[in-house]
Amino acid sequence: MSAPSGDQGSDNSPSGGQQQLSDADKIRLKRLARLGTPSTPSAQAPTSTVPANEPSSEPESTSSIQLEPHRQPSASSSRLLSSPLPSAPSPSPAARSATPVAKPSSLGKRPIPAASPKSESVGPRVVSTPQASRPLVPYTQWETEKISAVFSVILDSSDWRLCWLKDLAGELRSESHPLETTLDLADRLLIARLDDPDILTILAGLPTGETVFDYLTGAWKRLYAANREQNRLAFSPSEKSSWTACFEKLRSLIISYCGMTLEDPSMFPQPSEKPTGPAEFLPLLLSLTPTTSSSGDLLTSTASTPSTRGPLQPDEVLPFIGDLGANFDRDTLADVITPTLSLFFQEWFKLSPTPDIMGNEWRRYLGAVATLVQVKQIAALLPSLPVWVAPEVTAPRVEWQSLLGPLTRLSVYPREFAEIWKTYFSNPTERKVADFDANKDNLRHAMGSLHTSLFNIYNAIVRASSESREGTLDFFALVIRLNEKRAGMRVDPRTVSSDGFMTNLQVVLLKLFEPVMDITFSKIDKVDPEYFRTSKRVNITDETKIKATKEEADDYYIDKPANFISDLFFLLNAFQHLGLVKTIGNRGRAEKNISEIEKELKRAEASRADWNTPALQAQGDAAIKKLKSDIATLHASCHAYDTQLLDKSLVRLNVSYLGFLMTWLVRLVDPKHLHPTTTISLPLPANSPQTFRMLPEYLFDNVAEYFEFLARYDPDALDDADKDTLITFIITFLSPDYVNNPFLKAKLVAILSYGLWPMGYWRKGALYDRLSVHNLSTQYLMPTLIRFFIDVEMTGGHTQFWDKFNFRRDVSRIFKSMWANPLHREAFEQSRRDDFDQFIKFINMLMSDTTFHLEESLTNLAKINSLSAQMNQDSFASLPQAERDDTASQLRQAEGQAPFHTQMGLDHVELIRDFTATTREPFVTPEIVDRLAAALDQNLVLLVGSKMQELKVADPDKFSFKPKRLLAAIAQIYLNLSEETDFIRAVANDGRSYSKELFERFARVLKHRAIMTEGEVGEVVSFAQKVEDMRATIEIEDEREIPDEFLDPLLSTLMRDPVTLPVSRVVIDRSTIRTHLLSKEVDPFNNVPLKLEDVIPNSELKTQIEAWVAEGKIGRTTVDVDM
């Protein structure tokens, strides 16, 4: 064989003419061309001329992954000889220096040697470094011997342990080249060694089954061993410099050929019985543990167990990969690493069954990727590779057809990993809570390990380069765009990515954003409020805006780059919206299904009496067994959901982020833009900032849904600072004219309501203490709730009639919980003084709701009593089946409706009791007082009248029916207003329900049922007497005929304060038109829009009425004197 010989290879004839290239020459040139290296050794300049004993510098990496010290590969069994590699201009291991180096740092950063050449070398500091010994041979000879040893070749037959390159030796003789393994022959030596073994003449024979990769990694290790030996020898500075150049050239050559065989293992002859190229490199990566010690101390750190087989030991893999990354340009490195990553995919999908979080396979694969990204050049390259994410990928496939997707999708959620709940949460009713808690802790520990590893990988990629950072953010944005369907109400899980995949990506983003969330909010202004206007990374074109029309939004957007913090912030919002919030919704549906199936189970068990044949009994028993199994499955699924959703580390991260989001939103609308340094002042300006109005509504939905979930299932998750942030946010944005959607506001109110529900050791709710002292709460909570109570009368939805009751239920709970606080009572009183008309609207709506709920409640209770009695009769069984089914259906409907209305009616009556104890004026206004008196009297008739027995039910608690509490509250309202003449007159005027006998019976019930004390009962009797006296007065007044011009046109009663309507010109009493406008702001005579402030006082008519009334009083006085 004739191999080229570097500089001499192009001019072998005496005349200097070009010889015809042999086939071997052509193959060699082709291979070198693929490597991108010159074909002659003389052209291969060393990549570094930094002497091994001098310090070198390297740009600091931005990666935060902490690695083990970058160790040199060991050529002997002793690891005490290994030490970190000095850096070179290209980030690759360099020759060993005898000087100490700095502690290991982040990815891609080499230790920096200290300045003193006499200091101790890095390694286990057991003994001091011995004095450098004198070399036994001259440096030139030593270098030649080391090159021979590194390549394990020789050009003569003097050493049977080395491969004798006989043909190459012949070529060199013909070229008059000395038969010495000098540096200029390095590439020819290597090619001759790697070529077809049949043309090699050796004394001892090649190692059995040695692959090209085996040989090259062995040469790589022998090179570093030679470097360590050089450090121990007392060569001159110039000789050390020569060795540095030699070392860098040999390393570059070896690594180049390693890259070649990883890219195309068929380039050189390989043994047929062994895996080659990527197939032998990937197992090395998979054999590494996913976590490695980063203590930096080689003596005390835990080393990976050395592999008994394989070309590289575990502690040699990372330095080797570092050299790969440093040796190639970006495109060539992509060609080198892509085959291994492709094989990575193939091997993962061969695993059966599919790995889950409790297995170990995912740790091996995650550890392989974690090792690769510790090399900055590889980390920077990954997002640009074809294997990063498949083109034209769909939402359900993105987690399978992306590099990190199969690992990122691992979770404990039941839909994707049913074996988890079957193994750890089956038979929930038969197992102890402690058992479930222990299983949850184990699963959470595994998930924590997964999240940490995923974050380290993504973080390394993000920080490797600006291009890789943008590529990673583009991947997150792609996942968001593909999963826009997840925002829907009913989503087919087969058309979107899994809950686990979305949750884990969100955790990665949370960890990336964590440095921004400092306690002082120092980086809060780095979040660009115009992000959606300027960035197309997150598309909100079809999203509802907080307070802007679609046309306004379309004119608002432009296009310009966004900063990294803004990208993270708004990507996190999108993942919260499409990921965690939807997963919480899935869990909620599972819990709702449990409730529905339990009701069905009760009905099935109640129908056992109808199974009068063996076949029906068998079918019924099977149905009951199936229902019980479904309930157990759903309970286990909820436990699986809670394992991840209520993981303390995830909750803490998400609460911190949402706290940042809430603070940012409040700061955005703060006119002074100083919040939270200076707490925002309320009320807010009438017009909100444009940047705020253009934001998508789901920012609020993210906050509302998550904190409502925590309020129900983990109230201990929030500390006082979190609670203060939440309270400030809620009270600020319950302000009118800032959030259009009443349902969003209702969710914020629901959070406060749940936070005041007794749970665990929170006897008054987790938020009670902070709401009692929070400055904004004590000033603005009550007036804000009053305004919200009014605003939800019209929600705009087709179910608005029922929506308002659900929303007001939460308001009632807050009023009831906070009423004991004098600061909140004072705020309630102040709201009456600040806007009396608004307060009257509130009382009017409260009265309307109270009347409706009590009527529905008592009607349903009477219906339950009647239907139950009918079904308990012997004759019921003889009725037709259809009639029996209809009766049973009516009973179920009444039983389903009664609890809600009964509880709401009681709550509202008790609220009126509390309000009238301190705030009487609104309840005795003409608009309210007659309705209040009539409602109280009517319900009193039902509760203590002749039909009271119709309300008797078998289980009152089942329907939240507490008649004693209800009667006590009604009685107290009478007593609270017993000194108000207008109220007494209103009760006396109630000819429909009031009677003296009714109140006498009422007093007996209060006394005999021990509902009130004798003194209080006496006050009730005294009030009844006042009413009787007022009735006598009214009868005398009614004896005079009222002139028609003094009569109200709607009520036909005497007007007290006549006003003229501006359009219809009708004269009507002010109280009458005010009452009408409380429900509909139009003129009742022509439906023209009308406000109370538009009516015109009729002073002349009022004077006439007052004179007529005074005349009547004089007449009555005269009659009394005569009598």
Side-chain angles (χ1 to χ4, degrees), residues 582-608:
K582 297 305 173 183
T583 303
I584 289 172
N586 292 338
R587 185 212 179 278
R589 280 189 288 274
E591 194 169 51
K592 183 177 181 181
N593 289 340
I594 291 175
S595 177
E596 295 297 326
I597 296 175
E598 285 177 341
K599 292 178 182 178
E600 189 175 347
L601 177 61
K602 289 180 180 178
R603 290 194 293 269
E605 291 178 332
S607 64
R608 283 184 181 274

PDB file of all heavy atoms in Angstrom, residues 582-608:
ATOM      1  N   LYS A 582     -56.649  23.648  32.664  1.00  0.00           N
ATOM      2  CA  LYS A 582     -57.469  22.617  32.032  1.00  0.00           C
ATOM      3  C   LYS A 582     -57.322  21.280  32.743  1.00  0.00           C
ATOM      4  O   LYS A 582     -58.280  20.502  32.818  1.00  0.00           O
ATOM      5  CB  LYS A 582     -57.095  22.483  30.549  1.00  0.00           C
ATOM      6  CG  LYS A 582     -57.362  23.756  29.755  1.00  0.00           C
ATOM      7  CD  LYS A 582     -58.814  24.205  29.912  1.00  0.00           C
ATOM      8  CE  LYS A 582     -59.047  25.558  29.260  1.00  0.00           C
ATOM      9  NZ  LYS A 582     -60.440  26.034  29.458  1.00  0.00           N
ATOM     10  N   THR A 583     -56.148  21.002  33.271  1.00  0.00           N
ATOM     11  CA  THR A 583     -55.970  19.774  34.045  1.00  0.00           C
ATOM     12  C   THR A 583     -56.803  19.818  35.322  1.00  0.00           C
ATOM     13  O   THR A 583     -57.415  18.818  35.717  1.00  0.00           O
ATOM     14  CB  THR A 583     -54.483  19.578  34.383  1.00  0.00           C
ATOM     15  OG1 THR A 583     -53.716  19.562  33.178  1.00  0.00           O
ATOM     16  CG2 THR A 583     -54.269  18.267  35.120  1.00  0.00           C
ATOM     17  N   ILE A 584     -56.831  20.973  35.960  1.00  0.00           N
ATOM     18  CA  ILE A 584     -57.690  21.143  37.137  1.00  0.00           C
ATOM     19  C   ILE A 584     -59.154  20.928  36.746  1.00  0.00           C
ATOM     20  O   ILE A 584     -59.931  20.315  37.491  1.00  0.00           O
ATOM     21  CB  ILE A 584     -57.478  22.538  37.754  1.00  0.00           C
ATOM     22  CG1 ILE A 584     -56.094  22.609  38.417  1.00  0.00           C
ATOM     23  CG2 ILE A 584     -58.564  22.868  38.765  1.00  0.00           C
ATOM     24  CD1 ILE A 584     -55.708  24.001  38.883  1.00  0.00           C
ATOM     25  N   GLY A 585     -59.533  21.413  35.570  1.00  0.00           N
ATOM     26  CA  GLY A 585     -60.891  21.182  35.084  1.00  0.00           C
ATOM     27  C   GLY A 585     -61.181  19.708  34.870  1.00  0.00           C
ATOM     28  O   GLY A 585     -62.285  19.229  35.184  1.00  0.00           O
ATOM     29  N   ASN A 586     -60.214  18.970  34.350  1.00  0.00           N
ATOM     30  CA  ASN A 586     -60.393  17.525  34.165  1.00  0.00           C
ATOM     31  C   ASN A 586     -60.591  16.829  35.509  1.00  0.00           C
ATOM     32  O   ASN A 586     -61.411  15.916  35.640  1.00  0.00           O
ATOM     33  CB  ASN A 586     -59.188  16.930  33.446  1.00  0.00           C
ATOM     34  CG  ASN A 586     -59.088  17.389  32.003  1.00  0.00           C
ATOM     35  OD1 ASN A 586     -60.083  17.809  31.402  1.00  0.00           O
ATOM     36  ND2 ASN A 586     -57.901  17.323  31.426  1.00  0.00           N
ATOM     37  N   ARG A 587     -59.826  17.268  36.492  1.00  0.00           N
ATOM     38  CA  ARG A 587     -59.993  16.692  37.820  1.00  0.00           C
ATOM     39  C   ARG A 587     -61.379  17.024  38.376  1.00  0.00           C
ATOM     40  O   ARG A 587     -62.040  16.188  38.998  1.00  0.00           O
ATOM     41  CB  ARG A 587     -58.933  17.243  38.774  1.00  0.00           C
ATOM     42  CG  ARG A 587     -58.960  16.601  40.151  1.00  0.00           C
ATOM     43  CD  ARG A 587     -58.538  17.558  41.235  1.00  0.00           C
ATOM     44  NE  ARG A 587     -58.600  16.924  42.538  1.00  0.00           N
ATOM     45  CZ  ARG A 587     -59.714  16.789  43.254  1.00  0.00           C
ATOM     46  NH1 ARG A 587     -60.870  17.245  42.781  1.00  0.00           N
ATOM     47  NH2 ARG A 587     -59.700  16.185  44.434  1.00  0.00           N
ATOM     48  N   GLY A 588     -61.815  18.261  38.160  1.00  0.00           N
ATOM     49  CA  GLY A 588     -63.132  18.666  38.632  1.00  0.00           C
ATOM     50  C   GLY A 588     -64.247  17.850  38.000  1.00  0.00           C
ATOM     51  O   GLY A 588     -65.223  17.486  38.676  1.00  0.00           O
ATOM     52  N   ARG A 589     -64.106  17.531  36.714  1.00  0.00           N
ATOM     53  CA  ARG A 589     -65.119  16.709  36.059  1.00  0.00           C
ATOM     54  C   ARG A 589     -65.148  15.302  36.630  1.00  0.00           C
ATOM     55  O   ARG A 589     -66.216  14.694  36.773  1.00  0.00           O
ATOM     56  CB  ARG A 589     -64.875  16.677  34.550  1.00  0.00           C
ATOM     57  CG  ARG A 589     -65.397  17.911  33.840  1.00  0.00           C
ATOM     58  CD  ARG A 589     -65.350  17.754  32.338  1.00  0.00           C
ATOM     59  NE  ARG A 589     -63.986  17.819  31.840  1.00  0.00           N
ATOM     60  CZ  ARG A 589     -63.362  18.949  31.551  1.00  0.00           C
ATOM     61  NH1 ARG A 589     -63.967  20.104  31.744  1.00  0.00           N
ATOM     62  NH2 ARG A 589     -62.128  18.937  31.094  1.00  0.00           N
ATOM     63  N   ALA A 590     -63.968  14.781  36.970  1.00  0.00           N
ATOM     64  CA  ALA A 590     -63.930  13.456  37.598  1.00  0.00           C
ATOM     65  C   ALA A 590     -64.662  13.480  38.938  1.00  0.00           C
ATOM     66  O   ALA A 590     -65.423  12.556  39.267  1.00  0.00           O
ATOM     67  CB  ALA A 590     -62.482  13.021  37.786  1.00  0.00           C
ATOM     68  N   GLU A 591     -64.463  14.529  39.712  1.00  0.00           N
ATOM     69  CA  GLU A 591     -65.132  14.645  41.006  1.00  0.00           C
ATOM     70  C   GLU A 591     -66.646  14.821  40.822  1.00  0.00           C
ATOM     71  O   GLU A 591     -67.435  14.255  41.591  1.00  0.00           O
ATOM     72  CB  GLU A 591     -64.550  15.830  41.775  1.00  0.00           C
ATOM     73  CG  GLU A 591     -64.915  15.854  43.242  1.00  0.00           C
ATOM     74  CD  GLU A 591     -64.108  16.893  43.997  1.00  0.00           C
ATOM     75  OE1 GLU A 591     -64.081  18.048  43.543  1.00  0.00           O
ATOM     76  OE2 GLU A 591     -63.522  16.546  45.026  1.00  0.00           O
ATOM     77  N   LYS A 592     -67.026  15.580  39.814  1.00  0.00           N
ATOM     78  CA  LYS A 592     -68.455  15.757  39.538  1.00  0.00           C
ATOM     79  C   LYS A 592     -69.080  14.438  39.118  1.00  0.00           C
ATOM     80  O   LYS A 592     -70.221  14.116  39.516  1.00  0.00           O
ATOM     81  CB  LYS A 592     -68.638  16.812  38.444  1.00  0.00           C
ATOM     82  CG  LYS A 592     -70.092  17.132  38.142  1.00  0.00           C
ATOM     83  CD  LYS A 592     -70.202  18.229  37.097  1.00  0.00           C
ATOM     84  CE  LYS A 592     -71.664  18.561  36.803  1.00  0.00           C
ATOM     85  NZ  LYS A 592     -71.778  19.626  35.762  1.00  0.00           N
ATOM     86  N   ASN A 593     -68.357  13.655  38.325  1.00  0.00           N
ATOM     87  CA  ASN A 593     -68.870  12.346  37.911  1.00  0.00           C
ATOM     88  C   ASN A 593     -69.069  11.425  39.111  1.00  0.00           C
ATOM     89  O   ASN A 593     -70.001  10.614  39.132  1.00  0.00           O
ATOM     90  CB  ASN A 593     -67.910  11.696  36.908  1.00  0.00           C
ATOM     91  CG  ASN A 593     -67.930  12.394  35.562  1.00  0.00           C
ATOM     92  OD1 ASN A 593     -68.882  13.107  35.230  1.00  0.00           O
ATOM     93  ND2 ASN A 593     -66.877  12.223  34.777  1.00  0.00           N
ATOM     94  N   ILE A 594     -68.193  11.543  40.107  1.00  0.00           N
ATOM     95  CA  ILE A 594     -68.363  10.739  41.323  1.00  0.00           C
ATOM     96  C   ILE A 594     -69.700  11.060  41.968  1.00  0.00           C
ATOM     97  O   ILE A 594     -70.458  10.161  42.364  1.00  0.00           O
ATOM     98  CB  ILE A 594     -67.205  11.006  42.306  1.00  0.00           C
ATOM     99  CG1 ILE A 594     -65.889  10.443  41.763  1.00  0.00           C
ATOM    100  CG2 ILE A 594     -67.505  10.382  43.671  1.00  0.00           C
ATOM    101  CD1 ILE A 594     -64.688  10.780  42.621  1.00  0.00           C
ATOM    102  N   SER A 595     -70.008  12.352  42.075  1.00  0.00           N
ATOM    103  CA  SER A 595     -71.271  12.768  42.687  1.00  0.00           C
ATOM    104  C   SER A 595     -72.467  12.233  41.912  1.00  0.00           C
ATOM    105  O   SER A 595     -73.436  11.735  42.512  1.00  0.00           O
ATOM    106  CB  SER A 595     -71.322  14.300  42.768  1.00  0.00           C
ATOM    107  OG  SER A 595     -72.547  14.737  43.290  1.00  0.00           O
ATOM    108  N   GLU A 596     -72.396  12.315  40.582  1.00  0.00           N
ATOM    109  CA  GLU A 596     -73.510  11.844  39.768  1.00  0.00           C
ATOM    110  C   GLU A 596     -73.685  10.332  39.889  1.00  0.00           C
ATOM    111  O   GLU A 596     -74.809   9.827  40.008  1.00  0.00           O
ATOM    112  CB  GLU A 596     -73.284  12.228  38.301  1.00  0.00           C
ATOM    113  CG  GLU A 596     -73.281  13.725  38.036  1.00  0.00           C
ATOM    114  CD  GLU A 596     -74.608  14.370  38.365  1.00  0.00           C
ATOM    115  OE1 GLU A 596     -75.647  13.716  38.165  1.00  0.00           O
ATOM    116  OE2 GLU A 596     -74.614  15.526  38.828  1.00  0.00           O
ATOM    117  N   ILE A 597     -72.579   9.594  39.874  1.00  0.00           N
ATOM    118  CA  ILE A 597     -72.675   8.137  39.961  1.00  0.00           C
ATOM    119  C   ILE A 597     -73.152   7.712  41.342  1.00  0.00           C
ATOM    120  O   ILE A 597     -73.895   6.728  41.488  1.00  0.00           O
ATOM    121  CB  ILE A 597     -71.315   7.493  39.618  1.00  0.00           C
ATOM    122  CG1 ILE A 597     -70.939   7.797  38.165  1.00  0.00           C
ATOM    123  CG2 ILE A 597     -71.358   5.985  39.824  1.00  0.00           C
ATOM    124  CD1 ILE A 597     -69.559   7.303  37.769  1.00  0.00           C
ATOM    125  N   GLU A 598     -72.739   8.436  42.382  1.00  0.00           N
ATOM    126  CA  GLU A 598     -73.218   8.106  43.734  1.00  0.00           C
ATOM    127  C   GLU A 598     -74.735   8.277  43.833  1.00  0.00           C
ATOM    128  O   GLU A 598     -75.417   7.481  44.486  1.00  0.00           O
ATOM    129  CB  GLU A 598     -72.510   8.980  44.763  1.00  0.00           C
ATOM    130  CG  GLU A 598     -71.072   8.562  45.021  1.00  0.00           C
ATOM    131  CD  GLU A 598     -70.358   9.485  45.982  1.00  0.00           C
ATOM    132  OE1 GLU A 598     -70.839  10.635  46.164  1.00  0.00           O
ATOM    133  OE2 GLU A 598     -69.316   9.084  46.540  1.00  0.00           O
ATOM    134  N   LYS A 599     -75.265   9.324  43.194  1.00  0.00           N
ATOM    135  CA  LYS A 599     -76.723   9.489  43.183  1.00  0.00           C
ATOM    136  C   LYS A 599     -77.391   8.337  42.441  1.00  0.00           C
ATOM    137  O   LYS A 599     -78.423   7.810  42.893  1.00  0.00           O
ATOM    138  CB  LYS A 599     -77.085  10.819  42.511  1.00  0.00           C
ATOM    139  CG  LYS A 599     -76.669  12.056  43.286  1.00  0.00           C
ATOM    140  CD  LYS A 599     -77.026  13.320  42.516  1.00  0.00           C
ATOM    141  CE  LYS A 599     -76.559  14.569  43.261  1.00  0.00           C
ATOM    142  NZ  LYS A 599     -76.862  15.803  42.492  1.00  0.00           N
ATOM    143  N   GLU A 600     -76.795   7.948  41.323  1.00  0.00           N
ATOM    144  CA  GLU A 600     -77.350   6.832  40.558  1.00  0.00           C
ATOM    145  C   GLU A 600     -77.283   5.541  41.360  1.00  0.00           C
ATOM    146  O   GLU A 600     -78.200   4.710  41.309  1.00  0.00           O
ATOM    147  CB  GLU A 600     -76.595   6.697  39.235  1.00  0.00           C
ATOM    148  CG  GLU A 600     -77.214   5.711  38.268  1.00  0.00           C
ATOM    149  CD  GLU A 600     -76.516   5.683  36.922  1.00  0.00           C
ATOM    150  OE1 GLU A 600     -75.716   6.607  36.663  1.00  0.00           O
ATOM    151  OE2 GLU A 600     -76.756   4.745  36.155  1.00  0.00           O
ATOM    152  N   LEU A 601     -76.195   5.381  42.113  1.00  0.00           N
ATOM    153  CA  LEU A 601     -76.056   4.192  42.949  1.00  0.00           C
ATOM    154  C   LEU A 601     -77.148   4.142  44.022  1.00  0.00           C
ATOM    155  O   LEU A 601     -77.729   3.080  44.298  1.00  0.00           O
ATOM    156  CB  LEU A 601     -74.668   4.170  43.593  1.00  0.00           C
ATOM    157  CG  LEU A 601     -74.376   3.015  44.565  1.00  0.00           C
ATOM    158  CD1 LEU A 601     -74.475   1.680  43.837  1.00  0.00           C
ATOM    159  CD2 LEU A 601     -72.990   3.184  45.189  1.00  0.00           C
ATOM    160  N   LYS A 602     -77.432   5.286  44.644  1.00  0.00           N
ATOM    161  CA  LYS A 602     -78.483   5.334  45.659  1.00  0.00           C
ATOM    162  C   LYS A 602     -79.836   4.971  45.063  1.00  0.00           C
ATOM    163  O   LYS A 602     -80.634   4.253  45.673  1.00  0.00           O
ATOM    164  CB  LYS A 602     -78.531   6.723  46.291  1.00  0.00           C
ATOM    165  CG  LYS A 602     -77.353   7.030  47.202  1.00  0.00           C
ATOM    166  CD  LYS A 602     -77.486   8.436  47.799  1.00  0.00           C
ATOM    167  CE  LYS A 602     -76.297   8.746  48.711  1.00  0.00           C
ATOM    168  NZ  LYS A 602     -76.390  10.118  49.270  1.00  0.00           N
ATOM    169  N   ARG A 603     -80.111   5.482  43.862  1.00  0.00           N
ATOM    170  CA  ARG A 603     -81.376   5.148  43.216  1.00  0.00           C
ATOM    171  C   ARG A 603     -81.453   3.663  42.892  1.00  0.00           C
ATOM    172  O   ARG A 603     -82.512   3.036  43.040  1.00  0.00           O
ATOM    173  CB  ARG A 603     -81.556   5.983  41.951  1.00  0.00           C
ATOM    174  CG  ARG A 603     -81.802   7.461  42.206  1.00  0.00           C
ATOM    175  CD  ARG A 603     -82.314   8.159  40.951  1.00  0.00           C
ATOM    176  NE  ARG A 603     -81.310   8.214  39.906  1.00  0.00           N
ATOM    177  CZ  ARG A 603     -80.454   9.218  39.758  1.00  0.00           C
ATOM    178  NH1 ARG A 603     -80.471  10.237  40.594  1.00  0.00           N
ATOM    179  NH2 ARG A 603     -79.583   9.214  38.773  1.00  0.00           N
ATOM    180  N   ALA A 604     -80.321   3.109  42.436  1.00  0.00           N
ATOM    181  CA  ALA A 604     -80.321   1.684  42.107  1.00  0.00           C
ATOM    182  C   ALA A 604     -80.548   0.829  43.352  1.00  0.00           C
ATOM    183  O   ALA A 604     -81.312  -0.151  43.326  1.00  0.00           O
ATOM    184  CB  ALA A 604     -78.997   1.309  41.445  1.00  0.00           C
ATOM    185  N   GLU A 605     -79.903   1.175  44.446  1.00  0.00           N
ATOM    186  CA  GLU A 605     -80.076   0.406  45.675  1.00  0.00           C
ATOM    187  C   GLU A 605     -81.476   0.570  46.246  1.00  0.00           C
ATOM    188  O   GLU A 605     -82.024  -0.343  46.868  1.00  0.00           O
ATOM    189  CB  GLU A 605     -79.024   0.829  46.697  1.00  0.00           C
ATOM    190  CG  GLU A 605     -77.605   0.406  46.310  1.00  0.00           C
ATOM    191  CD  GLU A 605     -76.565   0.880  47.306  1.00  0.00           C
ATOM    192  OE1 GLU A 605     -76.813   1.924  47.951  1.00  0.00           O
ATOM    193  OE2 GLU A 605     -75.512   0.221  47.424  1.00  0.00           O
ATOM    194  N   ALA A 606     -82.057   1.770  46.026  1.00  0.00           N
ATOM    195  CA  ALA A 606     -83.413   1.994  46.523  1.00  0.00           C
ATOM    196  C   ALA A 606     -84.464   1.219  45.727  1.00  0.00           C
ATOM    197  O   ALA A 606     -85.592   1.025  46.202  1.00  0.00           O
ATOM    198  CB  ALA A 606     -83.738   3.483  46.483  1.00  0.00           C
ATOM    199  N   SER A 607     -84.112   0.797  44.532  1.00  0.00           N
ATOM    200  CA  SER A 607     -85.076   0.093  43.678  1.00  0.00           C
ATOM    201  C   SER A 607     -84.980  -1.423  43.812  1.00  0.00           C
ATOM    202  O   SER A 607     -85.571  -2.142  42.999  1.00  0.00           O
ATOM    203  CB  SER A 607     -84.863   0.496  42.212  1.00  0.00           C
ATOM    204  OG  SER A 607     -83.587   0.077  41.756  1.00  0.00           O
ATOM    205  N   ARG A 608     -84.268  -1.914  44.799  1.00  0.00           N
ATOM    206  CA  ARG A 608     -84.121  -3.372  44.963  1.00  0.00           C
ATOM    207  C   ARG A 608     -85.479  -4.063  45.117  1.00  0.00           C
ATOM    208  O   ARG A 608     -85.656  -5.205  44.681  1.00  0.00           O
ATOM    209  CB  ARG A 608     -83.258  -3.673  46.182  1.00  0.00           C
ATOM    210  CG  ARG A 608     -81.767  -3.467  45.970  1.00  0.00           C
ATOM    211  CD  ARG A 608     -80.982  -3.871  47.202  1.00  0.00           C
ATOM    212  NE  ARG A 608     -79.556  -3.671  47.050  1.00  0.00           N
ATOM    213  CZ  ARG A 608     -78.723  -4.561  46.505  1.00  0.00           C
ATOM    214  NH1 ARG A 608     -79.204  -5.728  46.069  1.00  0.00           N
ATOM    215  NH2 ARG A 608     -77.441  -4.319  46.400  1.00  0.00           N
TER     216      ARG A 608
END
